[in-house]
Every structure is written in C-alpha cells, then in structure tokens.
Amino acid sequence: MDTTTLLGIIARLSTYDTFLLNLMFPEVVNFETESIAFDRIFQDHTLAPFVSPMVAGQANNSQGAIQKTFKPAYVKPKDVLDPERVLKRRPGEAIGGALSAGQRRDAIVVDTLDEQRQRVINRMEWMSAQLLRTGKIVVSGEGYKTAEVDFGRLSANTITLLSDARWGESAADPLGDLEDWMDRMDAPCTHIIMGSAAFNKFIKNDDVKELVNSRRGSDTELEMAPAVMKAAFRGRLGGAGPEIWTYTGWYIDENGSKQKFIGDHDVLLVSQGATGVRAHGAIMDKKAGYQALEFFPKTWENEDPSVEYMMTQSAPLPVLPLINSTVCATVH
C-alpha cells in the first residue's frame, strides 16, 4: 500500500479513550521541523497602576516568554506481516474461508496499523502522566541519549505527605489539603484525579463523610461504589467545586510488568482552562516527504526471504505551558 492509502486508513481508525491526553492535551500541533519549539508563558500578577484620567497611560514592560526547543525521540513500533497469516482463516471469517489472500493481507495491515497506533498513544499517555505528576518528561531509549524536558513547575506543587498527615492516618485532613493545594495553582482547579487507594482513604475520612452526608441527593454527592471504567467520575467537591475522578489506567513496561499511569496513592489537581497540546516533530523520512505528521505508517519488503514489514513513526511531546496550573501529591 502507498503512503496516501496508509494515512487514509489511520484517519479512519477509531479514537482511543486516553483520559489524560483527552482531558489536558486535546489539540494536536505538528511542526515542520525536526525540533519542537514551545513557549513557557509567564503570567503577569502585577497591579495596573492608578493614574489621573488626564495623564497618558503608562506603557507596560512585556513579560515576554522563554522559547525552548526539543528534538523528540521517535517512537516507531515495527512488525513483520507474517505471510502464513494471509493463508489462514481470520477470526469471524466463514468456515472454509470467504476472503482471498489479498483481502486477508489488507485486513492484517489494518489490524497492525491499529495495534501500532495504540502503542504510540500509550506512550503519549505515559508522557502526559509524567508531565502532570512531576512537571518534567524524561525521554530515554535505545540509541537516544537520556534527556529531561523540565517545564519548570514550582517545587511546592509536588507534594509528599509524611507521617500522621498522610491520608488514612490520625492527623489526616484531606479537605484542608485539597484547599491548600488549589491555592497553589495559577488557574482554577477543575478536576481532581485520584488513584484508587487515595480515593478510598479520602472517602473514609470523617470530614469527607460529613460533607457527603450533608449533600445527599445533590450533584455534589461522591460515588462510593467500585469504579468499573479506568476513568470514573465520582462527583463534585462542595457545591460547584472541581470534579473528582479516579483513574486506574495501566500499561506494560519494558520489563513486562504492569504499571499504573497514576500511582494508587497519587492525587492530581489540574485546570482544564490551562490545557496543553500534543506536539509532534516532522518525520525525517523520505517516504513521508519530511512532512509534519502525527503518525507516519509505511511498509516495505525484503525479497529473499520474502518478508513484509510495517512500521508507524511518531515524534511526540506533550506541552503544557502553564505548568503551575497543576499539582501532584502522594498522600500515603
């Protein structure tokens, strides 16, 4: 299949439910260069000066911005299109086979594209989780020198509770903690995202129970039933406060172990009004035409022995300019 056909298939594939990417990085920005450039915008908290109406207004000194550039590592899952699969009946296909070898091959291409794109998106969700949890993204891989992209989040916005202040302990004050952490944010908190263990300790706190009981039947009631989906809405915090969610999404790491995107005892506070973007560097591949693409799939053949390969390339980096609109706390 040619590049146009493969890109057309990618465009028609269904989207994946990636909670952090969809919530905080809803837009895609493709760069026409190998490097990604982004500005970290500093908010201006100074007061406008008082002047007489008869005096000319004063010109402001621009706060400006710091431009950073980063050459992202490629993610490029690669698979062999096994010729033996082309000769076998596919799952769901009529007994005896209703498809030709060519039709099976095309179906296998679509399946492989879907699997490769899912692996790329899993990596992007992992990068998003890193950024929201730590204010940084550490990129490391085969043939790529380890690099840290530090967005400069204030150290006060990364918290670890200690001793009896931890949730579930004698001096725990989850509601007070959340109020304190929201005050540290540069934008109003809209979502509080908890790991499952953090939420269980939160909901069992006496102050939280009292809040829940006082608001039975309202839209602020917190849901104490087990979450069925990886991302589950649990209610609102007091009146028209931020939404509370639990997130148990997971991935398989390089060692084959299951890991959570958000730790069981992690609590994220984010502002949807200060969302970022999914930035992508241009694909340095002649077949891609060196284009700015979110995904670039391609196939090629080895003649002897006859083997067909398929690979999807991407050069992603989630970017969140207003990084101090996020807080992450480990509560136990």
Side-chain angles (χ1 to χ4, degrees):
M1 292 184 181
D2 60 22
T3 297
T4 301
T5 301
L6 292 172
L7 289 173
I9 293 171
I10 284 278
R12 292 193 299 272
L13 292 174
S14 60
T15 57
Y16 289 105
D17 184 18
T18 47
F19 180 60
L20 300 178
L21 271 174
N22 292 346
L23 178 66
M24 294 302 296
F25 305 92
E27 296 183 8
V28 175
V29 176
N30 295 325
F31 285 78
E32 296 181 351
T33 57
E34 189 176 9
S35 295
I36 292 170
F38 55 94
D39 293 338
R40 178 187 167 199
I41 302 170
F42 291 93
Q43 290 183 305
D44 186 357
H45 295 289
T46 59
L47 298 176
F50 290 114
V51 296
S52 164
M54 303 305 294
V55 175
Q58 298 181 19
N60 293 324
N61 293 322
S62 175
Q63 292 292 312
I66 294 177
Q67 185 179 76
K68 298 182 180 182
T69 60
F70 177 69
K71 185 184 293 185
Y74 277 27
V75 288
K76 45 200 310 187
K78 176 181 173 182
D79 291 281
V80 174
L81 298 183
D82 186 350
E84 291 187 2
R85 289 180 62 189
V86 175
L87 303 177
K88 295 178 181 178
R89 185 174 63 87
R90 288 173 51 80
E93 187 178 348
I95 300 298
L99 301 177
S100 68
Q103 289 172 323
R104 288 198 194 101
R105 182 264 180 192
D106 291 346
I108 291 168
V109 167
V110 174
D111 290 347
T112 304
L113 277 176
D114 197 33
E115 291 166 1
Q116 290 184 349
R117 190 182 63 146
Q118 175 67 85
R119 279 179 266 167
V120 173
I121 291 174
N122 286 345
R123 175 59 74 180
M124 293 166 63
E125 182 82 345
W126 176 88
M127 296 172 80
S128 302
Q130 261 209 334
L131 176 53
L132 295 173
R133 290 177 59 245
T134 69
K136 307 174 184 179
I137 299 175
V138 177
V139 181
S140 179
E142 182 180 351
Y144 186 90
K145 185 179 179 180
T146 299
E148 180 182 271
V149 187
D150 189 344
F151 287 76
R153 187 166 74 184
L154 294 173
S155 59
N157 285 29
T158 305
I159 301 132
T160 300
L161 296 182
L162 302 173
S163 178
D164 58 357
R166 298 179 301 174
W167 289 9
E169 302 296 336
S170 58
D173 183 14
L175 293 178
D177 289 337
L178 292 177
E179 184 176 352
D180 172 33
W181 301 337
M182 285 188 280
D183 286 342
R184 304 184 190 194
M185 299 172 63
D186 282 353
C189 178
T190 60
H191 292 73
I192 300 171
I193 305 161
M194 300 185 184
S196 54
F199 180 77
N200 289 336
K201 289 180 170 59
F202 175 75
I203 202 69
K204 291 176 182 178
N205 179 265
D206 290 340
D207 292 339
V208 176
K209 288 180 181 178
E210 183 177 344
L211 175 66
V212 171
N213 291 332
S214 68
R215 297 184 178 275
R216 288 289 182 191
S218 72
D219 62 357
T220 61
E221 180 180 345
L222 298 181
E223 177 57 61
M224 291 179 283
V228 177
M229 305 297 290
K230 291 178 181 178
F233 175 66
R234 299 296 196 148
R236 286 187 176 273
L237 184 66
E243 296 181 4
I244 295 179
W245 288 73
T246 52
Y247 184 44
T248 57
W250 55 275
Y251 62 95
I252 301 297
D253 67 13
E254 289 79 1
N255 300 317
S257 301
K258 182 177 177 179
Q259 304 288 346
K260 298 282 186 68
F261 289 114
I262 299 297
D264 285 338
H265 291 97
D266 284 348
V267 176
L268 290 179
L269 286 77
V270 300
S271 175
Q272 202 173 22
T275 53
V277 298
R278 312 175 198 187
H280 292 266
I283 302 299
M284 296 292 105
D285 188 308
K286 182 180 178 180
K287 283 193 172 182
Y290 309 105
Q291 296 181 66
L293 294 170
E294 186 178 3
F295 305 99
F296 174 64
K298 70 176 183 178
T299 63
W300 70 98
E301 296 180 20
N302 182 50
E303 294 293 342
D304 186 17
S306 180
V307 179
E308 187 173 8
Y309 294 96
M310 173 168 283
M311 182 169 66
T312 298
Q313 300 179 75
S314 185
L317 180 71
V319 177
L320 189 63
L322 296 179
I323 189 62
N324 288 314
S325 63
T326 65
V327 169
C328 181
T330 301
V331 299
H332 200 276

